[in-house]
């Protein structure tokens, strides 16, 4: 992994995901693991090491610590989707 084996060799990680597709679940697991390691180092180790790990993860990929806020837009009336409208006919 990016951090090296010695950073989290003493940790026992278990992660359960529900919903979404296969790729979304993989992204959820990797984000949960990254956030858990940062939280562990903040609570049980020193703040300097936590900052170092957090900066390294953010430099590699920001989505490891920051969630993607995009969601599916709800369907509205007058069409078959969120933005698509039914075709207009005059006759």
């Amino acid at each position: 992994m990016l951090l090296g084996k010695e950073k989290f060799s003493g940790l026992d990680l278990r992660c359960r995901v529900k919903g979404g597709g296969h790729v979304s679940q993989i992204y959820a697991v990797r984000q949960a693991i990254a956030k858990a390691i940062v939280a562990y180092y903040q609570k049980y180790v020193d703040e300097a090491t936590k900052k170092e790990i957090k900066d390294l993860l953010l430099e590699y990929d920001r989505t490891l610590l920051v969630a993607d806020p995009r969601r599916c837009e709800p369907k509205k009336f007058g069409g078959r989707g969120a933005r698509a409208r039914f075709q207009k006919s005059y006759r």
Side-chain angles (χ1 to χ4, degrees), residues 38-53:
V38 170
Y40 173 80
Y41 270 83
Q42 181 177 4
K43 189 169 183 179
Y44 296 110
V45 193
D46 58 341
E47 190 73 24
T49 313
K50 179 214 112 172
K51 177 97 172 89
E52 180 184 313
I53 289 174

Side-chain angles (χ1 to χ4, degrees), residues 27-66:
Y27 278 107
V29 167
R30 72 195 284 260
Q31 184 180 35
I33 290 172
K35 281 184 166 186
I37 290 172
V38 170
Y40 173 80
Y41 270 83
Q42 181 177 4
K43 189 169 183 179
Y44 296 110
V45 193
D46 58 341
E47 190 73 24
T49 313
K50 179 214 112 172
K51 177 97 172 89
E52 180 184 313
I53 289 174
K54 190 173 179 179
D55 290 341
L56 185 68
L57 290 173
L58 284 174
E59 182 185 326
Y60 175 71
D61 188 6
R62 189 167 185 267
T63 59
L64 282 172
L65 297 176
V66 181

Side-chain angles (χ1 to χ4, degrees), residues 12 17 22 25 41 47 51 55-56 64 75 80 89:
D12 182 27
V17 289
H22 297 294
Q25 288 184 349
Y41 270 83
E47 190 73 24
K51 177 97 172 89
D55 290 341
L56 185 68
L64 282 172
K75 181 194 176 304
R80 53 181 174 72
S89 173

